[in-house]
């Protein structure tokens, strides 16, 4: 087991639903520690930069609009195999396909908009490093 850090974001839909605490409890129950967390208001520029890898995808504009629709809570998770452990906890990208018991299956349903799927999670070590430093400074992670 490798100790890792990964970036999660509690997205605006989950913040509006008032399930921040329930989502954090899922991480902690799985042995992932919340190493840092903050409230952020993204704008079109910062949301577009964060999701730059999807710039050419047809859903990019809607995703950016959604991410600026309200505050979100980026957080750093730390623990054994944190990147994959978090991806498993999240469930499938499309909440209608996410299993019950996953964060998306439980907190993003019913789902009419794929942007509104409760959480983001880094998908590799490389993206985790980039995404963590996008939101957090070294001193916030010390
Ligand atoms: O978030 P995840 O890594 O599971 O999925 P992604 O493929 O990296 O896509 C990033 C985000 O774009 C997703 O979480 C969805 O909110 C959104 N998306 C969308 O709106 N429509 C799609 N067909 C695919 C993704
Ligand atoms: Mg992704």
């Amino acid at each position: 087991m490798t100790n890792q850090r990964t970036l999660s974001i509690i997205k605006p839909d989950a913040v509006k639903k008032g399930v921040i605490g329930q989502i954090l409890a899922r991480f902690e129950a799985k042995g992932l520690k919340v190493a840092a967390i903050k409230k952020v208001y993204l704008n079109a520029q910062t949301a577009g930069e964060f999701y730059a890898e999807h710039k050419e995808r047809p859903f990019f504009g809607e995703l950016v609009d959604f991410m600026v629709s309200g505050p979100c809570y980026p957080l750093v998770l730390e623990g054994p195999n944190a990147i994959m452990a978090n991806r498993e906890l999240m469930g499938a990208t499309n909440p209608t396909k996410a299993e019950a018991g996953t964060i998306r299956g439980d907190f993003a349903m019913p789902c009419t908009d794929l942007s509104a799927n409760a959480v983001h999670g880094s998908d590799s070590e490389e993206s985790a490093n980039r995404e963590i430093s996008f939101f957090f400074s070294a001193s916030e992670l010390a």
Side-chain angles (χ1 to χ4, degrees), residues 51 53-54 87 90 93 104 120-123 131:
Y51 279 119
E53 64 172 310
H54 296 306
R87 294 293 308 191
M90 290 162 62
T93 302
R104 285 166 167 171
H120 167 83
S122 307
D123 62 7
E131 292 173 0

Side-chain angles (χ1 to χ4, degrees), residues 60-100:
F60 180 75
E62 265 179 57
L63 179 60
V64 168
D65 287 348
F66 169 72
M67 291 302 290
V68 309
S69 68
C72 64
Y73 283 73
L75 61 123
V76 177
L77 294 172
E78 186 172 313
N81 297 330
I83 297 168
M84 282 317 296
N86 179 44
R87 294 293 308 191
E88 281 168 24
L89 276 175
M90 290 162 62
T93 302
N94 182 340
T96 63
K97 294 187 179 142
E99 284 175 42

Side-chain angles (χ1 to χ4, degrees), residues 34-51:
V34 179
I37 184 167
K38 62 172 74 166
K39 183 184 193 179
V40 169
Y41 290 82
L42 290 170
N43 59 39
Q45 192 190 325
T46 51
E49 235 174 83
F50 181 78
Y51 279 119

